[in-house]
Amino acid sequence: MDAQSRGRADEVDPADQWVLNPDTGTYELRLNPSGTQSNSGRERSSTARTPGPGSARSGRREVPGQRNRRGGKPPAGEAPDAPGRRKRKPRATRKKKVLLWTGGVMGFVLVVGSGGAYWLYQHFNGNINTVDVGDAGSKSSVPDGAFNILVIGTDKRTGAGNEGYGDAGSEGHADTNILFHVSADRTNATAMSIPRDMITDIPACPTKQKDGTTKTVPGEKNVRFNTSLGQEGRDPGCTMRTVKQLTGLTVDHFMMADFNAVKQLSTAVGGVKVCLEKPVNDPKSHLKLPAGQSVVKGEQALAFVRTRHSFGNESDLDRIKQQQQFIGSMIRQMKSDDTLGSPTKLYGLADAATKALTVDSGIGSIKKLTDLAQVIGKIDAKNITFATLPVIDNPAEGKKHITVVPDPAKADALFAMMRADTSLTEVKKKEADAKSAAAAEEAARLNGPRAKSSDVRVTVLNGGAQAGSAGDMVTWLQNQQGVLKSSNGANAPQKVPATVLAYAPNQADQARKLADLIGLSASALKPGTKDAVGKEPMVLTLGPDFHQAGTPIAAPDKAPEGIQKVEADKPVCAK
């Protein structure tokens, strides 16, 4: 019998089966009612309460450490504050008790994934599928600073009832893709959808085989993004590498789920509210809903996120909007009192989530997923912004309009904002930091005269950018900007967290000019204390925020005009 069934049978709230382990300071679920809580020699007193022969509870053993919901009195003959007995703490409210059970957080849902609470049920570990993506991912479950999770919804037709959707033998593609960027200060997140039909380059990808060997799948140029998974034997690590090459952002982890995950999670949370501006009856996706608000779960939820012919111009770009609506609604539902106040829903949601997800080995355990969920779950929904990678019609197709390519101006600007950890939401802390005296002092460095391009003397080093970046920058500076006194210094002595320009006080005019040319922020300019002698050059060290020559390194102050974005706390209706 499971934990919930035992709780109902004995009229004990399932949340009450969580007890404090004094050794670890954490709450643990007593799945075995006869189990003993480890307490390093501190055994329960022989005066511990036991049900008498006439008790309604006689014949069953108490869960050690469990709170008795019916009895608030001490044993007969013992004073409430008798010596040697700890004073009973005030009873927590139901909501506080549930928050203790969940560790104070509910996780997040992106497409079909969810984070959750204290998943200390041992069998949950067996639910999780993992993939070793090698050096494509991070070994730390919660990396220091800002980090990125790639959430992949695959169209693989596995699972009962899914073979009827067609293409039953397919290995699946990266059908729905969201890069979830969590800020370094953990106050906000950007969830950027990547269109599946976007043309891009896929790098060569080492993949782990079932026999333990590694096979490198060759890269491809000018192919659809969705072929980065499943095709030619590519695993999720290949999709992670493709995203890194495209955006310049390191992808730390991935979460992947299939059709069943949408059905199971939407059911576990009790249904997801969606809104339609007009009634829909789509025979292809089997979505049939009236205008206005509806609650969808199971097959209906899957139909909602799959339909392409019911909204907008029937393209994948419009489907992304309704998927974002679904995800935002799921997040709100998971954070609601209706979910947090129901141990049954929390248990079902955690069980469904662990069965639904495939993750990288860096987060391939309940403990690691919990650590990650605790960070993400604290972000206010109003500070989670859904955006779509800006694209334009593929010019190589003429008037066909089948595939798209990144918008050369807007996409790079959005990538730069994410690389610089700039929020797309109005977070008060970031606004205050932007107006601080330190920021004003840094900005003052850009005020003053500029040297001519031909007078700028600089050595370029690679301190963490992609291989070959220093040479590419020098070629661009010399051929496109007239900085003929630039040279390639190869790799820097050590990596830097971000691009930096070191210069002497008497080189300030050169530094300002170079900053203008390459789009470098004032905070990246590091003046020395001694003047340069003779032909001594400045030193430009390219960090991981450098994407490619000609693309501004400094992030814009705000999102590009016309970018599609919506906050997770704002309900919207599919058009």
Side-chain angles (χ1 to χ4, degrees):
M1 184 180 294
D2 65 15
Q4 289 181 322
S5 299
R6 289 198 304 273
R8 287 194 297 271
D10 295 341
E11 296 182 4
V12 177
D13 189 316
D16 274 347
Q17 302 198 39
W18 289 87
V19 295
L20 180 66
N21 185 329
D23 292 337
T24 64
T26 61
Y27 284 83
E28 298 180 0
L29 179 67
R30 290 289 164 254
L31 291 175
N32 182 355
S34 62
T36 302
Q37 180 180 355
S38 172
N39 53 15
S40 300
R42 291 183 293 173
E43 301 295 333
R44 292 175 61 87
S45 169
S46 60
T47 61
R49 289 168 287 176
T50 56
S55 170
R57 296 191 176 200
S58 67
R60 88 170 176 93
R61 290 169 288 186
E62 290 284 346
V63 178
Q66 179 175 314
R67 298 186 297 278
N68 191 323
R69 293 177 63 86
R70 293 183 176 180
K73 298 180 181 180
E78 185 175 39
D81 295 318
R85 179 179 178 85
R86 290 186 299 176
K87 184 176 180 180
R88 181 184 295 276
K89 294 182 179 180
R91 181 181 295 276
T93 65
R94 176 178 176 81
K95 186 168 184 177
K96 287 183 178 179
K97 178 174 59 183
V98 172
L99 288 177
L100 285 175
W101 183 36
T102 64
V105 296
M106 271 308 294
F108 72 105
V109 170
L110 289 178
V111 186
V112 287
S114 73
Y118 276 128
W119 292 337
L120 300 179
Y121 305 80
Q122 185 58 42
H123 74 276
F124 279 8
N125 268 315
N127 287 349
I128 303 172
N129 295 311
T130 63
V131 174
D132 183 356
V133 296
D135 61 2
S138 172
K139 301 302 181 184
S140 171
S141 57
V142 184
D144 294 334
F147 63 89
N148 302 286
I149 303 169
L150 180 62
V151 183
I152 306 170
T154 175
D155 58 359
K156 191 173 183 178
R157 268 66 167 167
T158 52
N162 295 327
E163 63 278 355
Y165 296 122
D167 201 16
S170 172
E171 289 297 320
H173 303 76
D175 192 55
T176 298
N177 311 276
I178 296 181
L179 184 62
F180 194 79
H181 172 86
V182 179
S183 67
D185 63 9
R186 311 304 192 235
T187 64
N188 65 90
T190 298
M192 182 183 71
S193 294
I194 303 174
R196 68 173 195 175
D197 294 327
M198 184 185 70
I199 299 300
T200 189
D201 295 339
I202 300 176
C205 176
T207 60
K208 294 285 186 179
Q209 304 299 300
K210 292 181 180 180
D211 61 1
T213 62
T214 298
K215 173 187 175 183
T216 298
V217 181
E220 288 188 81
K221 291 185 176 296
N222 296 318
V223 293
R224 298 190 190 207
F225 181 89
N226 68 349
T227 60
S228 63
L229 174 70
Q231 311 311 299
E232 309 299 331
R234 295 187 178 102
D235 65 14
C238 300
T239 310
M240 296 168 71
R241 296 173 194 274
T242 302
V243 171
K244 180 178 181 180
Q245 179 174 278
L246 173 69
T247 66
L249 288 156
T250 296
V251 182
D252 299 283
H253 300 296
F254 85 86
M255 292 183 176
M256 181 175 70
D258 58 16
F259 287 171
N260 275 351
V262 179
K263 295 189 286 188
Q264 293 167 0
L265 289 170
S266 60
T267 300
V269 82
V272 177
K273 294 178 182 178
V274 297
C275 179
L276 281 64
E277 285 198 354
K278 61 182 181 180
V280 168
N281 186 0
D282 180 9
K284 293 186 177 181
S285 66
H286 308 295
L287 179 66
K288 186 176 182 180
L289 291 174
Q293 190 176 88
S294 298
V295 176
V296 297
K297 58 183 177 180
E299 292 287 350
Q300 240 185 356
L302 178 60
F304 183 83
V305 299
R306 286 188 66 239
T307 185
R308 280 183 36 168
H309 303 284
S310 302
F311 308 109
N313 61 7
E314 303 186 12
S315 70
D316 184 55
L317 297 178
D318 280 294
R319 181 168 64 169
I320 284 174
K321 295 177 183 178
Q322 71 212 40
Q323 289 172 344
Q324 291 174 347
Q325 177 200 150
F326 181 88
I327 297 162
S329 182
M330 178 78 89
I331 290 173
R332 294 191 296 273
Q333 179 65 23
M334 290 186 67
K335 289 177 174 285
S336 70
D337 290 341
D338 183 50
T339 299
L340 288 176
S342 171
T344 301
K345 283 187 178 180
L346 288 173
Y347 179 97
L349 186 58
D351 192 38
T354 50
K355 288 177 180 177
L357 292 176
T358 297
V359 301
D360 62 278
S361 53
I363 50 173
S365 71
I366 297 302
K367 175 62 170 63
K368 293 177 179 179
L369 278 173
T370 300
D371 291 342
L372 185 62
Q374 286 179 324
V375 171
I376 296 172
K378 294 177 183 178
I379 302 174
D380 195 313
K382 70 180 181 181
N383 292 330
I384 299 176
T385 303
F386 291 102
T388 301
L389 192 160
V391 294
I392 58 175
D393 289 329
N394 186 356
E397 292 178 341
K399 297 181 179 180
K400 291 182 180 180
H401 304 314
I402 298 174
T403 61
V404 294
V405 296
D407 184 310
K410 294 180 180 180
D412 283 339
L414 179 58
F415 300 158
M417 288 187 70
M418 296 177 71
R419 290 194 298 268
D421 198 23
T422 301
S423 172
L424 295 183
T425 60
E426 297 297 326
V427 182
K428 292 182 179 180
K429 183 178 183 302
K430 286 186 174 292
E431 290 179 345
D433 289 345
K435 297 177 182 179
S436 67
E441 182 179 345
E442 289 179 348
R445 294 177 190 167
L446 291 178
N447 294 326
R450 266 72 171 161
K452 296 179 180 179
S453 296
S454 57
D455 292 334
V456 173
R457 192 182 299 273
V458 61
T459 296
V460 183
L461 306 178
N462 190 332
Q466 295 182 20
S469 293
D472 291 344
M473 173 61 89
V474 170
T475 299
W476 181 79
L477 285 173
Q478 292 181 349
N479 296 340
Q480 303 295 324
Q481 302 301 320
V483 184
L484 302 179
K485 298 174 183 176
S486 55
S487 61
N488 182 358
N491 291 330
Q494 59 186 18
K495 292 184 177 181
V496 294
T499 299
V500 60
L501 175 62
Y503 63 98
N506 61 341
Q507 295 172 325
D509 58 340
Q510 295 182 46
R512 297 186 192 106
K513 181 61 178 180
L514 186 61
D516 290 345
L517 294 175
I518 65 177
L520 199 60
S521 65
S523 60
L525 273 61
K526 304 299 180 184
T529 57
K530 296 181 179 180
D531 282 346
V533 178
K535 297 181 179 180
E536 181 181 353
M538 301 182 294
V539 177
L540 174 66
T541 305
L542 303 178
D545 55 343
F546 174 78
H547 188 41
Q548 64 181 20
T551 299
I553 300 173
D557 296 330
K558 60 181 182 180
E561 292 294 332
I563 187 175
Q564 184 270 317
K565 63 187 183 77
V566 64
E567 283 73 44
D569 67 326
K570 296 178 180 178
V572 294
C573 290
K575 299 180 180 179

PDB file of all heavy atoms in Angstrom, residues 517-542:
ATOM      1  N   LEU A 517      33.749  50.331 -31.558  1.00  0.00           N
ATOM      2  CA  LEU A 517      33.783  49.451 -32.724  1.00  0.00           C
ATOM      3  C   LEU A 517      33.228  48.051 -32.431  1.00  0.00           C
ATOM      4  O   LEU A 517      32.537  47.464 -33.263  1.00  0.00           O
ATOM      5  CB  LEU A 517      35.225  49.316 -33.243  1.00  0.00           C
ATOM      6  CG  LEU A 517      35.867  50.590 -33.812  1.00  0.00           C
ATOM      7  CD1 LEU A 517      37.324  50.323 -34.179  1.00  0.00           C
ATOM      8  CD2 LEU A 517      35.096  51.086 -35.036  1.00  0.00           C
ATOM      9  N   ILE A 518      33.541  47.520 -31.262  1.00  0.00           N
ATOM     10  CA  ILE A 518      33.157  46.135 -30.972  1.00  0.00           C
ATOM     11  C   ILE A 518      31.953  46.030 -30.039  1.00  0.00           C
ATOM     12  O   ILE A 518      31.533  44.925 -29.689  1.00  0.00           O
ATOM     13  CB  ILE A 518      34.346  45.341 -30.381  1.00  0.00           C
ATOM     14  CG1 ILE A 518      34.750  45.900 -29.012  1.00  0.00           C
ATOM     15  CG2 ILE A 518      35.530  45.366 -31.337  1.00  0.00           C
ATOM     16  CD1 ILE A 518      35.873  45.092 -28.348  1.00  0.00           C
ATOM     17  N   GLY A 519      31.378  47.184 -29.650  1.00  0.00           N
ATOM     18  CA  GLY A 519      30.197  47.152 -28.796  1.00  0.00           C
ATOM     19  C   GLY A 519      30.511  46.666 -27.398  1.00  0.00           C
ATOM     20  O   GLY A 519      29.848  45.773 -26.865  1.00  0.00           O
ATOM     21  N   LEU A 520      31.530  47.256 -26.776  1.00  0.00           N
ATOM     22  CA  LEU A 520      31.969  46.847 -25.451  1.00  0.00           C
ATOM     23  C   LEU A 520      31.435  47.816 -24.404  1.00  0.00           C
ATOM     24  O   LEU A 520      31.481  49.035 -24.592  1.00  0.00           O
ATOM     25  CB  LEU A 520      33.499  46.818 -25.404  1.00  0.00           C
ATOM     26  CG  LEU A 520      34.168  46.017 -24.293  1.00  0.00           C
ATOM     27  CD1 LEU A 520      33.765  44.557 -24.369  1.00  0.00           C
ATOM     28  CD2 LEU A 520      35.677  46.157 -24.388  1.00  0.00           C
ATOM     29  N   SER A 521      30.914  47.293 -23.301  1.00  0.00           N
ATOM     30  CA  SER A 521      30.355  48.144 -22.247  1.00  0.00           C
ATOM     31  C   SER A 521      31.456  48.802 -21.431  1.00  0.00           C
ATOM     32  O   SER A 521      32.605  48.339 -21.405  1.00  0.00           O
ATOM     33  CB  SER A 521      29.464  47.318 -21.315  1.00  0.00           C
ATOM     34  OG  SER A 521      30.236  46.365 -20.616  1.00  0.00           O
ATOM     35  N   ALA A 522      31.096  49.875 -20.736  1.00  0.00           N
ATOM     36  CA  ALA A 522      32.066  50.600 -19.918  1.00  0.00           C
ATOM     37  C   ALA A 522      32.637  49.727 -18.816  1.00  0.00           C
ATOM     38  O   ALA A 522      33.810  49.857 -18.447  1.00  0.00           O
ATOM     39  CB  ALA A 522      31.406  51.839 -19.319  1.00  0.00           C
ATOM     40  N   SER A 523      31.822  48.811 -18.292  1.00  0.00           N
ATOM     41  CA  SER A 523      32.291  47.968 -17.189  1.00  0.00           C
ATOM     42  C   SER A 523      33.389  47.007 -17.633  1.00  0.00           C
ATOM     43  O   SER A 523      34.100  46.451 -16.800  1.00  0.00           O
ATOM     44  CB  SER A 523      31.123  47.171 -16.606  1.00  0.00           C
ATOM     45  OG  SER A 523      30.540  46.339 -17.591  1.00  0.00           O
ATOM     46  N   ALA A 524      33.549  46.803 -18.943  1.00  0.00           N
ATOM     47  CA  ALA A 524      34.575  45.889 -19.456  1.00  0.00           C
ATOM     48  C   ALA A 524      35.907  46.600 -19.686  1.00  0.00           C
ATOM     49  O   ALA A 524      36.895  45.948 -20.017  1.00  0.00           O
ATOM     50  CB  ALA A 524      34.109  45.249 -20.756  1.00  0.00           C
ATOM     51  N   LEU A 525      35.931  47.901 -19.505  1.00  0.00           N
ATOM     52  CA  LEU A 525      37.162  48.674 -19.682  1.00  0.00           C
ATOM     53  C   LEU A 525      37.909  48.753 -18.357  1.00  0.00           C
ATOM     54  O   LEU A 525      37.382  49.260 -17.364  1.00  0.00           O
ATOM     55  CB  LEU A 525      36.849  50.084 -20.192  1.00  0.00           C
ATOM     56  CG  LEU A 525      36.720  50.267 -21.711  1.00  0.00           C
ATOM     57  CD1 LEU A 525      35.583  49.422 -22.256  1.00  0.00           C
ATOM     58  CD2 LEU A 525      36.456  51.747 -22.036  1.00  0.00           C
ATOM     59  N   LYS A 526      39.135  48.245 -18.338  1.00  0.00           N
ATOM     60  CA  LYS A 526      39.918  48.183 -17.108  1.00  0.00           C
ATOM     61  C   LYS A 526      41.204  49.003 -17.248  1.00  0.00           C
ATOM     62  O   LYS A 526      42.208  48.531 -17.784  1.00  0.00           O
ATOM     63  CB  LYS A 526      40.265  46.724 -16.775  1.00  0.00           C
ATOM     64  CG  LYS A 526      39.064  45.806 -16.672  1.00  0.00           C
ATOM     65  CD  LYS A 526      38.111  46.238 -15.560  1.00  0.00           C
ATOM     66  CE  LYS A 526      36.910  45.297 -15.468  1.00  0.00           C
ATOM     67  NZ  LYS A 526      35.926  45.753 -14.445  1.00  0.00           N
ATOM     68  N   PRO A 527      41.183  50.248 -16.777  1.00  0.00           N
ATOM     69  CA  PRO A 527      42.381  51.085 -16.906  1.00  0.00           C
ATOM     70  C   PRO A 527      43.472  50.679 -15.924  1.00  0.00           C
ATOM     71  O   PRO A 527      43.190  50.244 -14.805  1.00  0.00           O
ATOM     72  CB  PRO A 527      41.845  52.485 -16.582  1.00  0.00           C
ATOM     73  CG  PRO A 527      40.673  52.237 -15.678  1.00  0.00           C
ATOM     74  CD  PRO A 527      40.065  50.951 -16.140  1.00  0.00           C
ATOM     75  N   GLY A 528      44.727  50.788 -16.367  1.00  0.00           N
ATOM     76  CA  GLY A 528      45.853  50.524 -15.488  1.00  0.00           C
ATOM     77  C   GLY A 528      46.269  51.790 -14.756  1.00  0.00           C
ATOM     78  O   GLY A 528      45.582  52.817 -14.804  1.00  0.00           O
ATOM     79  N   THR A 529      47.407  51.733 -14.088  1.00  0.00           N
ATOM     80  CA  THR A 529      47.896  52.887 -13.313  1.00  0.00           C
ATOM     81  C   THR A 529      49.138  53.523 -13.924  1.00  0.00           C
ATOM     82  O   THR A 529      49.487  54.640 -13.570  1.00  0.00           O
ATOM     83  CB  THR A 529      48.217  52.442 -11.874  1.00  0.00           C
ATOM     84  OG1 THR A 529      49.183  51.375 -11.903  1.00  0.00           O
ATOM     85  CG2 THR A 529      46.956  51.957 -11.168  1.00  0.00           C
ATOM     86  N   LYS A 530      49.781  52.828 -14.853  1.00  0.00           N
ATOM     87  CA  LYS A 530      51.000  53.350 -15.470  1.00  0.00           C
ATOM     88  C   LYS A 530      50.790  53.547 -16.960  1.00  0.00           C
ATOM     89  O   LYS A 530      50.149  52.728 -17.618  1.00  0.00           O
ATOM     90  CB  LYS A 530      52.179  52.397 -15.231  1.00  0.00           C
ATOM     91  CG  LYS A 530      52.558  52.238 -13.768  1.00  0.00           C
ATOM     92  CD  LYS A 530      53.757  51.304 -13.624  1.00  0.00           C
ATOM     93  CE  LYS A 530      54.159  51.162 -12.163  1.00  0.00           C
ATOM     94  NZ  LYS A 530      55.328  50.250 -11.998  1.00  0.00           N
ATOM     95  N   ASP A 531      51.348  54.629 -17.491  1.00  0.00           N
ATOM     96  CA  ASP A 531      51.228  54.901 -18.915  1.00  0.00           C
ATOM     97  C   ASP A 531      51.993  53.875 -19.749  1.00  0.00           C
ATOM     98  O   ASP A 531      53.001  53.301 -19.302  1.00  0.00           O
ATOM     99  CB  ASP A 531      51.788  56.290 -19.242  1.00  0.00           C
ATOM    100  CG  ASP A 531      50.815  57.404 -18.858  1.00  0.00           C
ATOM    101  OD1 ASP A 531      49.635  57.088 -18.590  1.00  0.00           O
ATOM    102  OD2 ASP A 531      51.236  58.570 -18.833  1.00  0.00           O
ATOM    103  N   ALA A 532      51.454  53.619 -20.963  1.00  0.00           N
ATOM    104  CA  ALA A 532      52.122  52.718 -21.887  1.00  0.00           C
ATOM    105  C   ALA A 532      53.381  53.380 -22.438  1.00  0.00           C
ATOM    106  O   ALA A 532      53.437  54.611 -22.594  1.00  0.00           O
ATOM    107  CB  ALA A 532      51.176  52.356 -23.030  1.00  0.00           C
ATOM    108  N   VAL A 533      54.392  52.572 -22.728  1.00  0.00           N
ATOM    109  CA  VAL A 533      55.658  53.075 -23.252  1.00  0.00           C
ATOM    110  C   VAL A 533      55.813  52.637 -24.704  1.00  0.00           C
ATOM    111  O   VAL A 533      55.623  51.458 -25.037  1.00  0.00           O
ATOM    112  CB  VAL A 533      56.851  52.547 -22.422  1.00  0.00           C
ATOM    113  CG1 VAL A 533      58.168  53.039 -23.012  1.00  0.00           C
ATOM    114  CG2 VAL A 533      56.711  52.976 -20.962  1.00  0.00           C
ATOM    115  N   GLY A 534      56.123  53.561 -25.576  1.00  0.00           N
ATOM    116  CA  GLY A 534      56.371  53.253 -26.974  1.00  0.00           C
ATOM    117  C   GLY A 534      55.150  52.652 -27.659  1.00  0.00           C
ATOM    118  O   GLY A 534      54.053  53.195 -27.602  1.00  0.00           O
ATOM    119  N   LYS A 535      55.359  51.513 -28.303  1.00  0.00           N
ATOM    120  CA  LYS A 535      54.294  50.874 -29.087  1.00  0.00           C
ATOM    121  C   LYS A 535      53.579  49.763 -28.314  1.00  0.00           C
ATOM    122  O   LYS A 535      53.007  48.846 -28.879  1.00  0.00           O
ATOM    123  CB  LYS A 535      54.882  50.300 -30.369  1.00  0.00           C
ATOM    124  CG  LYS A 535      55.472  51.360 -31.293  1.00  0.00           C
ATOM    125  CD  LYS A 535      56.019  50.731 -32.564  1.00  0.00           C
ATOM    126  CE  LYS A 535      56.589  51.787 -33.494  1.00  0.00           C
ATOM    127  NZ  LYS A 535      57.140  51.183 -34.750  1.00  0.00           N
ATOM    128  N   GLU A 536      53.603  49.862 -27.010  1.00  0.00           N
ATOM    129  CA  GLU A 536      52.931  48.861 -26.170  1.00  0.00           C
ATOM    130  C   GLU A 536      51.424  48.853 -26.475  1.00  0.00           C
ATOM    131  O   GLU A 536      50.776  49.900 -26.412  1.00  0.00           O
ATOM    132  CB  GLU A 536      53.171  49.178 -24.690  1.00  0.00           C
ATOM    133  CG  GLU A 536      52.539  48.171 -23.747  1.00  0.00           C
ATOM    134  CD  GLU A 536      52.781  48.537 -22.290  1.00  0.00           C
ATOM    135  OE1 GLU A 536      53.553  49.489 -22.019  1.00  0.00           O
ATOM    136  OE2 GLU A 536      52.174  47.877 -21.421  1.00  0.00           O
ATOM    137  N   PRO A 537      50.851  47.700 -26.796  1.00  0.00           N
ATOM    138  CA  PRO A 537      49.437  47.653 -27.168  1.00  0.00           C
ATOM    139  C   PRO A 537      48.512  47.459 -25.958  1.00  0.00           C
ATOM    140  O   PRO A 537      48.947  47.042 -24.879  1.00  0.00           O
ATOM    141  CB  PRO A 537      49.359  46.421 -28.075  1.00  0.00           C
ATOM    142  CG  PRO A 537      50.375  45.496 -27.488  1.00  0.00           C
ATOM    143  CD  PRO A 537      51.508  46.386 -27.000  1.00  0.00           C
ATOM    144  N   MET A 538      47.251  47.772 -26.156  1.00  0.00           N
ATOM    145  CA  MET A 538      46.216  47.383 -25.189  1.00  0.00           C
ATOM    146  C   MET A 538      46.033  45.867 -25.316  1.00  0.00           C
ATOM    147  O   MET A 538      46.501  45.251 -26.275  1.00  0.00           O
ATOM    148  CB  MET A 538      44.897  48.091 -25.494  1.00  0.00           C
ATOM    149  CG  MET A 538      44.964  49.603 -25.466  1.00  0.00           C
ATOM    150  SD  MET A 538      43.342  50.363 -25.773  1.00  0.00           S
ATOM    151  CE  MET A 538      43.036  49.881 -27.487  1.00  0.00           C
ATOM    152  N   VAL A 539      45.339  45.282 -24.356  1.00  0.00           N
ATOM    153  CA  VAL A 539      45.082  43.837 -24.402  1.00  0.00           C
ATOM    154  C   VAL A 539      43.580  43.595 -24.290  1.00  0.00           C
ATOM    155  O   VAL A 539      42.954  43.926 -23.280  1.00  0.00           O
ATOM    156  CB  VAL A 539      45.821  43.090 -23.270  1.00  0.00           C
ATOM    157  CG1 VAL A 539      45.472  41.599 -23.310  1.00  0.00           C
ATOM    158  CG2 VAL A 539      47.327  43.293 -23.385  1.00  0.00           C
ATOM    159  N   LEU A 540      43.017  43.027 -25.350  1.00  0.00           N
ATOM    160  CA  LEU A 540      41.602  42.674 -25.372  1.00  0.00           C
ATOM    161  C   LEU A 540      41.497  41.160 -25.179  1.00  0.00           C
ATOM    162  O   LEU A 540      41.967  40.388 -26.010  1.00  0.00           O
ATOM    163  CB  LEU A 540      40.969  43.068 -26.707  1.00  0.00           C
ATOM    164  CG  LEU A 540      39.519  42.626 -26.933  1.00  0.00           C
ATOM    165  CD1 LEU A 540      38.574  43.324 -25.953  1.00  0.00           C
ATOM    166  CD2 LEU A 540      39.088  42.896 -28.379  1.00  0.00           C
ATOM    167  N   THR A 541      40.891  40.735 -24.068  1.00  0.00           N
ATOM    168  CA  THR A 541      40.724  39.312 -23.780  1.00  0.00           C
ATOM    169  C   THR A 541      39.260  38.935 -23.964  1.00  0.00           C
ATOM    170  O   THR A 541      38.381  39.451 -23.269  1.00  0.00           O
ATOM    171  CB  THR A 541      41.163  38.980 -22.340  1.00  0.00           C
ATOM    172  OG1 THR A 541      42.507  39.437 -22.133  1.00  0.00           O
ATOM    173  CG2 THR A 541      41.100  37.474 -22.096  1.00  0.00           C
ATOM    174  N   LEU A 542      39.018  38.052 -24.931  1.00  0.00           N
ATOM    175  CA  LEU A 542      37.646  37.649 -25.253  1.00  0.00           C
ATOM    176  C   LEU A 542      37.179  36.558 -24.301  1.00  0.00           C
ATOM    177  O   LEU A 542      37.838  35.528 -24.144  1.00  0.00           O
ATOM    178  CB  LEU A 542      37.573  37.139 -26.697  1.00  0.00           C
ATOM    179  CG  LEU A 542      38.048  38.121 -27.781  1.00  0.00           C
ATOM    180  CD1 LEU A 542      37.975  37.454 -29.151  1.00  0.00           C
ATOM    181  CD2 LEU A 542      37.191  39.397 -27.760  1.00  0.00           C
TER     182      LEU A 542
END
